[in-house]
Amino acid sequence: MAEGDKTRLETDQKRGRTSQDLRALIEAERTGLAFVYWRDSSGEQHILMLSPVRARLTVGRGEHSDIALTWEPTVSRAHAVIESIGDDWTLLDNGISQNGSFVNESLVHGRCRLNDKDRMSFGDTHVVFRDPEGERGSSRSARGAEAAKGIRLTATKRTILIELCRPIAEHRSPTPATDPQIASEVSLTVDTVDGHLRELFALFGLVALPENERRGRLVATVLRRGLLSPGDF
């Protein structure tokens, strides 16, 4: 663990956040994609990735909501929506909720643009919005995006990319698929998948990144650039 992460671990432990919680947040940040996190009524931490190909997240007391706040009596069944508009993530509460939604303690009227580390409040539950690339200035992602221009993928590499991105794009997981998971889905050996991924890291200009960040950055670049669409998953 990097020195900065160790400092965060010590600080968060003082706040009651476990090392497992912090590691999950760090993994989500490393993808370069926006995400939200919150705690349920038992104190368990939840993380949902905000993938550009799954650009709408529902919030409400209903159990089928993406953020299901079933323990909150003052939250409406269909309370609010977090969705992507252009390059921004927004919170939409158009008056359908009974008690309103708040961002940094300010009542939301209609649509509100979200910034990194904004805290949304629904009843007594706080949902934190994170946009790691917004915090860092997007320099490394910009290099990856620039490298992505004009790239033509073989059918095999495209299929591998789809499976790599699927947990984040389809299931809102904070981590991409592993080599064995990809190999199982595409009927290739793990070594073959690893070789194709190494070539993809080079194609997208990600070789210089630390090994534990390359996969997440590749997913972020592919999804942010629209190189895959919802129909691919």
Side-chain angles (χ1 to χ4, degrees):
M1 183 180 292
E3 188 63 33
D5 292 342
K6 291 179 181 178
T7 300
R8 290 178 58 189
L9 175 57
E10 293 171 357
T11 301
D12 280 32
Q13 284 175 336
K14 293 177 182 178
R15 295 174 180 171
R17 183 177 290 158
T18 67
S19 58
Q20 183 178 358
D21 289 342
L22 180 58
R23 288 190 180 95
L25 289 175
I26 291 171
E27 287 300 318
E29 289 176 1
R30 283 175 175 164
T31 68
L33 294 170
F35 64 94
V36 293
Y37 69 93
W38 71 97
R39 291 186 181 278
D40 62 23
S41 57
S42 66
E44 181 180 354
Q45 177 177 275
H46 297 263
I47 297 175
L48 279 182
M49 306 305 297
L50 301 180
S51 163
V53 299
R54 292 287 184 271
R56 191 174 187 273
L57 204 67
T58 57
V59 183
R61 199 177 72 252
E63 60 182 15
H64 296 300
S65 298
D66 294 303
I67 300 179
L69 309 178
T70 55
W71 60 89
E72 284 285 3
T74 63
V75 169
S76 303
R77 290 186 63 80
H79 193 95
V81 173
I82 298 170
E83 63 181 343
S84 175
I85 301 294
D87 292 331
D88 296 323
W89 285 96
T90 65
L91 174 65
L92 173 64
D93 187 326
N94 58 8
I96 59 175
S97 66
Q98 293 182 353
N99 296 289
S101 305
F102 296 79
V103 174
N104 301 327
E105 301 183 359
S106 295
L107 181 64
V108 172
H109 299 282
R111 190 180 300 277
C112 174
R113 179 179 179 274
L114 296 172
N115 297 301
D116 186 41
K117 299 181 182 179
D118 275 350
R119 186 175 73 165
M120 297 169 280
S121 298
F122 311 101
D124 292 326
T125 300
H126 305 304
V127 179
V128 180
F129 171 78
R130 290 301 324 276
D131 185 3
E133 289 307 324
E135 180 187 51
R136 284 192 276 262
S138 302
S139 59
R140 288 187 294 187
S141 245
R143 288 196 295 270
E146 184 67 25
K149 292 180 180 179
I151 286 180
R152 294 185 178 181
L153 299 172
T154 65
T156 299
K157 283 184 171 56
R158 182 178 178 81
T159 299
I160 287 173
L161 272 180
I162 290 171
E163 294 308 321
L164 177 74
C165 297
R166 188 181 299 279
I168 290 175
E170 190 171 52
H171 305 299
R172 302 188 189 276
S173 166
T175 54
T178 64
D179 286 4
Q181 289 170 337
I182 296 171
S184 175
E185 293 296 328
V186 301
S187 300
L188 295 172
T189 66
V190 173
D191 286 344
T192 300
V193 169
D194 178 70
H196 279 289
L197 285 174
R198 290 180 183 278
E199 292 175 8
L200 285 166
F201 295 146
L203 283 172
F204 283 82
L206 303 174
V207 174
L209 290 180
E211 186 172 354
N212 60 0
E213 290 190 27
R214 291 175 193 165
R215 302 172 76 89
R217 296 292 171 179
L218 179 56
V219 171
T221 300
V222 168
L223 296 182
R224 284 182 182 274
R225 295 291 299 170
L227 300 180
L228 299 177
S229 67
D232 289 317
F233 299 98

